[in-house]
mmCIF file of all heavy atoms in Angstrom:
data_model
loop_
_atom_site.group_PDB
_atom_site.id
_atom_site.type_symbol
_atom_site.label_atom_id
_atom_site.label_comp_id
_atom_site.label_asym_id
_atom_site.label_seq_id
_atom_site.Cartn_x
_atom_site.Cartn_y
_atom_site.Cartn_z
ATOM 1 N N LEU A 52 5.716 -16.621 8.275
ATOM 2 C CA LEU A 52 7.088 -16.240 8.579
ATOM 3 C C LEU A 52 7.636 -17.076 9.697
ATOM 4 O O LEU A 52 7.091 -17.194 10.791
ATOM 5 C CB LEU A 52 7.113 -14.733 9.006
ATOM 6 C CG LEU A 52 8.495 -14.141 9.282
ATOM 7 C CD1 LEU A 52 9.319 -14.187 7.980
ATOM 8 C CD2 LEU A 52 8.335 -12.705 9.753
ATOM 9 N N CYS A 53 8.760 -17.773 9.394
ATOM 10 C CA CYS A 53 9.407 -18.604 10.393
ATOM 11 C C CYS A 53 10.909 -18.302 10.288
ATOM 12 O O CYS A 53 11.592 -18.813 9.403
ATOM 13 C CB CYS A 53 9.173 -20.074 10.110
ATOM 14 S SG CYS A 53 9.997 -21.178 11.265
ATOM 15 N N VAL A 54 11.400 -17.415 11.143
ATOM 16 C CA VAL A 54 12.783 -16.926 10.993
ATOM 17 C C VAL A 54 13.755 -17.963 11.563
ATOM 18 O O VAL A 54 13.529 -18.536 12.600
ATOM 19 C CB VAL A 54 12.944 -15.603 11.781
ATOM 20 C CG1 VAL A 54 14.391 -15.129 11.726
ATOM 21 C CG2 VAL A 54 12.010 -14.530 11.227
ATOM 22 N N LEU A 55 14.802 -18.213 10.765
ATOM 23 C CA LEU A 55 15.760 -19.213 11.130
ATOM 24 C C LEU A 55 17.043 -18.549 11.663
ATOM 25 O O LEU A 55 17.479 -17.526 11.167
ATOM 26 C CB LEU A 55 16.167 -20.064 9.918
ATOM 27 C CG LEU A 55 15.060 -20.770 9.173
ATOM 28 C CD1 LEU A 55 15.655 -21.530 7.999
ATOM 29 C CD2 LEU A 55 14.320 -21.732 10.073
ATOM 30 N N HIS A 229 16.100 -29.129 3.544
ATOM 31 C CA HIS A 229 15.085 -28.356 4.200
ATOM 32 C C HIS A 229 14.466 -29.166 5.339
ATOM 33 O O HIS A 229 14.177 -28.604 6.429
ATOM 34 C CB HIS A 229 14.003 -27.973 3.191
ATOM 35 C CG HIS A 229 12.812 -27.217 3.779
ATOM 36 N ND1 HIS A 229 12.903 -25.908 4.157
ATOM 37 C CD2 HIS A 229 11.553 -27.621 4.058
ATOM 38 C CE1 HIS A 229 11.751 -25.529 4.634
ATOM 39 N NE2 HIS A 229 10.915 -26.544 4.560
ATOM 40 N N GLY A 307 21.194 -19.659 5.637
ATOM 41 C CA GLY A 307 20.396 -18.602 6.240
ATOM 42 C C GLY A 307 18.902 -18.870 6.228
ATOM 43 O O GLY A 307 18.235 -18.596 7.221
ATOM 44 N N SER A 309 15.535 -21.405 4.131
ATOM 45 C CA SER A 309 15.151 -22.396 3.129
ATOM 46 C C SER A 309 13.654 -22.431 3.024
ATOM 47 O O SER A 309 12.916 -22.108 3.965
ATOM 48 C CB SER A 309 15.712 -23.772 3.501
ATOM 49 O OG SER A 309 15.086 -24.275 4.661
ATOM 50 N N ALA A 310 13.177 -22.895 1.863
ATOM 51 C CA ALA A 310 11.749 -23.064 1.641
ATOM 52 C C ALA A 310 11.488 -24.130 0.625
ATOM 53 O O ALA A 310 12.328 -24.362 -0.264
ATOM 54 C CB ALA A 310 11.101 -21.736 1.187
ATOM 55 N N GLN A 334 9.744 -16.605 0.305
ATOM 56 C CA GLN A 334 9.594 -17.299 1.607
ATOM 57 C C GLN A 334 10.947 -17.701 2.192
ATOM 58 O O GLN A 334 11.166 -17.577 3.390
ATOM 59 C CB GLN A 334 8.702 -18.509 1.408
ATOM 60 C CG GLN A 334 8.278 -19.197 2.676
ATOM 61 C CD GLN A 334 7.294 -20.325 2.455
ATOM 62 O OE1 GLN A 334 7.742 -21.433 2.062
ATOM 63 N NE2 GLN A 334 6.016 -20.067 2.659
ATOM 64 N N ALA A 335 11.860 -18.177 1.335
ATOM 65 C CA ALA A 335 13.175 -18.534 1.827
ATOM 66 C C ALA A 335 13.911 -17.330 2.412
ATOM 67 O O ALA A 335 14.591 -17.423 3.442
ATOM 68 C CB ALA A 335 14.007 -19.188 0.693
ATOM 69 N N LEU A 336 13.779 -16.177 1.779
ATOM 70 C CA LEU A 336 14.415 -14.994 2.267
ATOM 71 C C LEU A 336 13.802 -14.571 3.608
ATOM 72 O O LEU A 336 14.517 -14.215 4.560
ATOM 73 C CB LEU A 336 14.273 -13.836 1.277
ATOM 74 C CG LEU A 336 15.050 -13.970 -0.050
ATOM 75 C CD1 LEU A 336 14.693 -12.842 -0.995
ATOM 76 C CD2 LEU A 336 16.577 -14.003 0.209
ATOM 77 N N GLU A 337 12.503 -14.583 3.680
ATOM 78 C CA GLU A 337 11.846 -14.188 4.925
ATOM 79 C C GLU A 337 12.227 -15.081 6.118
ATOM 80 O O GLU A 337 12.389 -14.616 7.219
ATOM 81 C CB GLU A 337 10.309 -14.220 4.702
ATOM 82 C CG GLU A 337 9.801 -13.112 3.813
ATOM 83 C CD GLU A 337 8.280 -13.159 3.648
ATOM 84 O OE1 GLU A 337 7.725 -14.252 3.883
ATOM 85 O OE2 GLU A 337 7.687 -12.123 3.334
ATOM 86 N N ARG A 338 12.337 -16.357 5.843
ATOM 87 C CA ARG A 338 12.688 -17.281 6.925
ATOM 88 C C ARG A 338 14.068 -17.077 7.468
ATOM 89 O O ARG A 338 14.364 -17.533 8.571
ATOM 90 C CB ARG A 338 12.531 -18.739 6.448
ATOM 91 C CG ARG A 338 11.075 -19.157 6.318
ATOM 92 C CD ARG A 338 10.899 -20.560 5.837
ATOM 93 N NE ARG A 338 9.492 -20.946 5.956
ATOM 94 C CZ ARG A 338 9.015 -22.091 5.448
ATOM 95 N NH1 ARG A 338 9.819 -22.888 4.778
ATOM 96 N NH2 ARG A 338 7.753 -22.383 5.630
ATOM 97 N N GLY A 339 14.919 -16.412 6.727
ATOM 98 C CA GLY A 339 16.233 -16.107 7.266
ATOM 99 C C GLY A 339 16.413 -14.614 7.520
ATOM 100 O O GLY A 339 17.542 -14.172 7.676
ATOM 101 N N SER A 340 15.303 -13.877 7.525
ATOM 102 C CA SER A 340 15.377 -12.438 7.770
ATOM 103 C C SER A 340 16.302 -11.718 6.819
ATOM 104 O O SER A 340 17.029 -10.788 7.236
ATOM 105 C CB SER A 340 15.799 -12.131 9.237
ATOM 106 O OG SER A 340 14.820 -12.648 10.109
#
Side-chain angles (χ1 to χ4, degrees):
L52 184 61
C53 179
V54 178
L55 304 179
H229 177 74
S309 68
Q334 190 175 78
L336 292 174
E337 288 181 338
R338 285 180 170 170
S340 296

